[in-house]
Amino acid sequence: HRRFDYRPKTDPYCQARYTFCPTGSAIPLMKEEDVIEVYRLQAPVWEFKYGDLLGHLKIMHDAVGFRSSLTGKNYTMEWYELFQLGNCTFPHLRPGIDAPFWCNQGAACFYEGIDDAHWKENGTLVLVTTISGDMFNEMAQWVKYDNETGIYYETWTVQASPDKQSTVWFDSYECSKFILRTYQKLADLGAVFKKIQTNYTSIILFSGEPIYLGNETSIFGPLGNKTLAAAIRDFYSPFKPHQTVREFFVDLVRIIDRVILNHQFYFFYNLEYWLLPMKFPYLKIIYEEVPLPVGSKESFNV
């Protein structure tokens, strides 16, 4: 996933149904002698609205919790879409604008408190490691860098087949990937993680080798490819970004239907368009184990 130099200003056209990070706060500076417990948090996506519905489908949202031994304060940190999932997955087709218009950004949110009931009831709240105040402060610096340079949310993982060793053409970039990066950073700083099983959700498309089509200018610009531009717009036309969860899943079924009929999926990744020659089983939602990290060799000499 490409890193960018800065986060672009959001277009006023992009409106969120729910405010992003409403109670967010700055990450505090911890005292170096503090001992901070680190918790793995996981619960079904959209649980606040739909209860455990998506828990049965194993579509989970991940976060990380911290507890300071010195102050007794708890904190939650997570990474999610600024304009909800539909906007990160599908573009808007705006009248008078030829190119599909993407309202797509994801970012970290840090706030005081851990909603114990939310994570425990249908999900997970488990201690994974303890770190020093210094390690926490270094992690906070890294979060700032990660947040300023990794700005686009990516719903799909694209790989060649369901086989474990299969080629991954494109990797997703969503809430769980941020948590995995955070854990890895802590491990590299010297954190030692407990030996517990940790599973994460992936939404996978299966495709032969992707075909590069170009960027917005080369396809939709004045010298663009009119036929290709029309095909991409047509592909995205049934999907609406501003929608309820139910509509999102109805659209997902529509996509699968189109994709299976035509074996094609127009894919937008790092500001470029690709054609995916889709193949069976086309799309799968999996919930699989990703082990907690082991630090790099030098971290044990800290």
Side-chain angles (χ1 to χ4, degrees):
H1 196 274
R2 186 172 141 202
R3 293 268 160 195
F4 292 84
D5 294 338
Y6 62 95
R7 182 179 287 279
K9 275 202 164 44
T10 59
D11 191 293
Y13 178 83
C14 299
Q15 294 296 321
R17 189 174 289 223
Y18 311 107
T19 310
F20 174 78
C21 204
T23 58
S25 58
I27 304 182
L29 195 63
M30 298 293 188
K31 290 200 160 67
E32 57 186 74
E33 68 274 17
D34 203 347
V35 175
I36 292 153
E37 295 174 336
V38 181
Y39 292 89
R40 171 171 191 255
L41 310 176
Q42 188 177 65
V45 168
W46 291 304
E47 188 188 20
F48 64 95
K49 212 159 178 280
Y50 292 88
D52 193 27
L53 166 73
L54 297 181
H56 298 300
L57 295 173
K58 289 290 184 219
I59 300 181
M60 308 298 265
H61 175 68
D62 297 272
V64 59
F66 301 99
R67 182 178 179 278
S68 157
S69 303
L70 279 182
T71 66
K73 284 184 175 176
N74 294 321
Y75 302 94
T76 302
M77 183 168 78
E78 53 190 328
W79 196 94
Y80 60 101
E81 326 86 54
L82 264 61
F83 313 107
Q84 279 76 63
L85 187 60
N87 276 308
C88 294
T89 311
F90 311 119
H92 295 256
L93 298 179
R94 293 174 69 177
I97 299 178
D98 209 22
F101 184 83
W102 293 86
C103 288
N104 177 8
Q105 283 191 37
C109 174
F110 186 95
Y111 52 95
E112 194 171 326
I114 293 176
D115 181 352
D116 285 36
H118 170 75
W119 302 105
K120 273 183 187 154
E121 233 158 75
N122 292 315
T124 306
L125 193 163
V126 62
L127 180 70
V128 287
T129 188
T130 51
I131 59 174
S132 68
D134 266 354
M135 284 152 88
F136 179 92
N137 295 335
E138 285 203 49
M139 177 208 73
Q141 287 301 312
W142 168 82
V143 167
K144 189 172 181 296
Y145 156 79
D146 185 79
N147 214 28
E148 285 168 357
T149 60
I151 50 182
Y152 294 110
Y153 189 99
E154 181 48 62
T155 305
W156 317 103
T157 294
V158 185
Q159 61 186 57
S161 79
D163 179 40
K164 272 262 187 281
Q165 268 54 61
S166 140
T167 304
V168 175
W169 305 117
F170 299 99
D171 217 344
S172 62
Y173 199 82
E174 28 68 8
C175 66
S176 70
K177 289 296 197 295
F178 172 74
I179 301 307
L180 290 167
R181 291 196 302 280
T182 303
Y183 289 162
Q184 187 60 58
K185 181 65 185 174
L186 291 175
D188 291 342
L189 291 169
V192 178
F193 284 87
K194 292 177 179 296
K195 299 271 185 286
I196 53 170
Q197 183 166 345
T198 50
N199 287 52
Y200 299 91
T201 303
S202 293
I203 304 180
I204 302 179
L205 301 175
F206 298 102
S207 157
E209 186 162 348
I211 298 152
Y212 177 68
L213 300 174
N215 61 22
E216 190 177 295
T217 312
S218 69
I219 298 168
F220 298 95
L223 304 172
N225 180 331
K226 293 281 179 278
T227 317
L228 177 57
I232 293 174
R233 283 183 70 87
D234 178 60
F235 174 78
Y236 283 124
S237 62
F239 319 130
K240 320 254 174 328
H242 283 316
Q243 56 193 357
T244 64
V245 173
R246 198 177 157 279
E247 288 165 342
F248 179 83
F249 281 101
V250 167
D251 274 358
L252 205 52
V253 171
R254 279 190 187 160
I255 292 186
I256 295 163
D257 199 42
R258 279 191 156 207
V259 159
I260 290 170
L261 283 174
N262 304 323
H263 297 274
Q264 286 185 336
F265 189 106
Y266 287 99
F267 186 62
F268 188 60
Y269 192 86
N270 281 344
L271 307 182
E272 295 175 321
Y273 285 93
W274 298 77
L275 177 64
L276 305 180
M278 299 295 288
K279 56 189 202 189
F280 184 83
Y282 307 105
L283 182 143
K284 222 173 177 183
I285 296 170
I286 62 162
Y287 184 67
E288 66 174 2
E289 182 176 10
V290 180
L292 286 161
V294 174
S296 54
K297 294 286 179 282
E298 58 275 15
S299 67
F300 293 106
N301 309 324
V302 171

